Amino acid sequence: MSAEDPKLAVVVKGWPRLSETFIAQELVALERAGHSFDIWSLRFPTDKKTHPLHEETRARVRYLPEYLHHEKARVVRGWSKARKMPGFKKAHQVWMQDLRRDLTRNRVRRFGQACVLAAELPAGTKGLYAHFLHTPSSVARYAALIRGIDWSFSAHAKDIWTSPDWEIREKLANDGTGAAFGVTCTGFGAAHLQQMAEPAERVSLLYHGLDLDRFPLPPAQRPDDGVFRMLSVGRLVEKKGFDRLVKALSLLPDDLNWHWTHIGGGDLKDDLQAMAKAEDINDRITWRGACDQPEVVEAMRSHDLFVLPSRIAEDGDRDGLPNVLMEAASQKLAILSTPVSAIPEFISSGVHGLLVEDSPETLTFAIMDLARNPEQRREFADTAYDRLVADFGVDAGISQLSARLNTLIS
């Protein structure tokens, strides 16, 4: 064991990822609080850009085999070493139970990655901490069982609402195979998980919050060129509701001079751009693609309204509490969103912003109302900023998480 080997290992889906700023913010803050750890990523990065936060972490980043057949020799070495460890039999038994209920290649890949992780972890590793309750937690769970150490998780949104109940219950079980503790970033998600935990206190609410030291003060005034400028930031996927927004924009009256800017990538990009062209509004839209955090913040300072029409996808996937809402509030940009999941935990409709149904017609009327009431937008922006500063700073949550992790690796 090297004197520099950390006691903690952090398991993530991919590193770095533009859409997961909250993870980078948390890990940098944990390092500030005195923690050292390695980051173990299940996937290689695909984003062409990174956030400045990604460059700040001092953690060593290790990549597990994304697909087992791509690194056959490494997987065989990992399996051979892991199967000699005292906890391998129990881990294999748990995995086989899972595999019988989820007979997929992904489930096989999880165990292969876990064997490599268990085999390659530094000797002094005392605990694992996984971001997301689905795949990363499965890998962490199997690896922890193999090594005979504790594991923990941070749950967010999709991982909570699209994972089968049996799997969540077993990851929360107090039977020696479940997590030592779990945290999640919304009261809505915490209540759901606590119903399945043994005991409920194994899961705690821990808002990500926002590190306001990293953001400029809100602009004293915004540019006014006679155009009502709207901004959205988020992946072009079903749960973000941008299809409803494009339709809503097409219903705006001719006498409203508007422009919408979208930041983010996603699988629905071609479909939504085609939809905008069919509705004859594409010339009023700027599709900027993926941007880093400074570019996002700069855009927030030059627009009049932030719109995030989140909804529940067909498979149950939904947002938690999107960090972009807090980022918009940090720049006193008025917010229009929907009362989905944990969004009302930050935005009280009519006080800190406006939350409406995700139907195109409802969104259209809300946009029209806010476009014609700049004083109302300013009031919403001011109260959201005050709430952000008072209740959603990053320090309190990091303090709680740091204490939990210290116990995990003690």
Side-chain angles (χ1 to χ4, degrees), residues 171-192:
K171 286 176 177 175
L172 294 173
N174 190 17
D175 64 355
T177 71
F181 74 86
V183 298
T184 189
C185 53
T186 69
F188 188 67
H192 181 72

Side-chain angles (χ1 to χ4, degrees), residues 221-276:
Q221 59 184 23
R222 298 181 183 277
D224 184 3
D225 58 1
V227 180
F228 182 61
R229 298 192 177 277
M230 294 168 281
L231 173 69
S232 297
V233 180
R235 291 178 299 130
L236 294 168
V237 295
E238 184 184 2
K239 71 176 179 180
K240 296 296 183 181
F242 291 127
D243 56 333
R244 309 287 175 86
L245 180 56
V246 170
K247 181 61 179 178
L249 295 174
S250 75
L251 300 176
L252 289 171
D254 294 336
D255 63 350
L256 179 61
N257 188 6
W258 62 271
H259 192 91
W260 177 54
T261 298
H262 176 270
I263 292 177
D267 295 340
L268 298 181
K269 178 181 178 180
D270 292 342
D271 291 343
L272 291 175
Q273 289 185 351
M275 181 180 177

Side-chain angles (χ1 to χ4, degrees), residues 73-129:
R74 186 182 176 197
V75 173
V76 170
R77 286 196 302 271
W79 172 276
S80 298
K81 186 174 180 180
R83 66 185 302 184
K84 298 173 185 176
M85 296 179 179
F88 180 82
K89 182 177 180 181
K90 180 62 177 176
H92 188 268
Q93 185 180 60
V94 169
W95 171 63
M96 287 299 296
Q97 291 173 348
D98 293 346
L99 185 64
R100 281 192 286 270
R101 292 169 291 187
D102 178 33
L103 189 58
T104 62
R105 290 182 178 179
N106 186 41
R107 184 65 62 174
V108 174
R109 182 164 61 246
R110 294 181 200 186
F111 194 70
Q113 289 177 318
C115 287
V116 174
L117 176 60
E120 296 183 2
L121 281 172
T125 303
K126 299 291 187 181
L128 296 172
Y129 173 56

Side-chain angles (χ1 to χ4, degrees), residues 5-28:
D5 285 341
K7 295 181 180 180
L8 179 66
V10 177
V11 181
V12 298
K13 286 193 302 182
W15 182 271
R17 281 189 164 187
L18 282 174
S19 63
E20 295 173 359
T21 316
F22 55 92
I23 295 179
Q25 174 184 266
E26 178 189 279
L27 297 185
V28 169

